[in-house]
């Protein structure tokens, strides 16, 4: 789908509003661009919910990145 800089996002899960805009992220099928590990991040497991976004963490090498909901919405438009 799209690179965030530290991760490649293959798919993103979460509720959307009536216009299709993402309200929150509940899951992300991701690939780490540091170690190339592919994983499914979910809240409580490599995905930390923060105000207006999430922090995605690779379970293999601990690479981390905060990503805004706006960025996820942009990524979904590209997909």
């Amino acid at each position: 789908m799209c690179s965030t800089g530290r991760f490649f996002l293959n798919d993103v899960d979460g509720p959307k509003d009536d216009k299709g805009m993402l309200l929150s992220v509940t899951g992300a099928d991701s690939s780490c661009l540091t170690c190339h590990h592919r994983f499914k991040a979910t809240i409580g497991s490599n995905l930390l919910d923060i105000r207006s976004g999430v922090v995605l963490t690779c379970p293999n090498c601990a690479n981390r990145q905060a990503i805004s909901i706006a960025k996820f919405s942009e990524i979904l438009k590209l997909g």
Side-chain angles (χ1 to χ4, degrees), residues 47-59:
L47 194 63
L48 174 65
D49 188 28
I50 59 173
R51 186 177 189 170
S52 300
V54 296
V55 176
L56 186 59
T57 304
C58 176

Side-chain angles (χ1 to χ4, degrees), residues 23-76:
L23 298 172
S24 65
V25 177
T26 58
D29 180 11
S30 311
S31 297
C32 178
L33 295 177
T34 299
C35 72
H36 308 288
H37 181 70
R38 186 168 179 171
F39 61 100
K40 174 69 175 178
T42 57
I43 298 295
S45 174
N46 305 320
L47 194 63
L48 174 65
D49 188 28
I50 59 173
R51 186 177 189 170
S52 300
V54 296
V55 176
L56 186 59
T57 304
C58 176
N60 191 54
C61 72
N63 184 24
R64 296 172 52 113
Q65 183 178 14
I67 307 166
S68 70
I69 293 297
K71 180 66 174 174
F72 276 109
S73 291
E74 178 184 315
I75 289 166
L76 285 175

